[in-house]
Amino acid sequence: MRTRILYFGRVQGVGFRWNVAEIVKSFQLTGLVQNLPNGSVEVVLEGTDSEIKKASVAIDRKMKGYWTNKEMESKEGEAHFSDFSIERRNR
């Protein structure tokens, strides 16, 4: 399973990506977190549906003071990542 989550709000320049990476370490997941040019943060989680849901709830709770809206999209499919990483995309 692969889930893409977009977080909107005050999510860039506040340690959002680093916190997400720390949270995801405690789950059996791969994927990435990165800033997007529109000011949002993208999180891609790959793993079991159960692990993705637990990690998503943990991210939502820990970062609740920063995000104001989120969009989620899940798809069945093979994993594309071998680990979880923080991408440093130029804005």
Side-chain angles (χ1 to χ4, degrees), residues 23-67:
I23 293 164
V24 171
K25 281 182 184 177
S26 59
F27 297 94
Q28 297 289 323
L29 296 169
T30 60
L32 63 82
V33 58
Q34 66 181 345
N35 289 338
L36 295 181
N38 68 357
S40 67
V41 170
E42 175 185 42
V43 179
V44 177
L45 301 172
E46 294 181 338
T48 65
D49 188 46
S50 173
E51 284 288 286
I52 290 171
K53 284 179 182 173
K54 287 188 260 182
S56 174
V57 167
I59 293 166
D60 290 355
R61 285 184 182 152
K62 170 93 177 180
M63 304 310 294
K64 68 181 174 186
Y66 298 98
W67 64 275

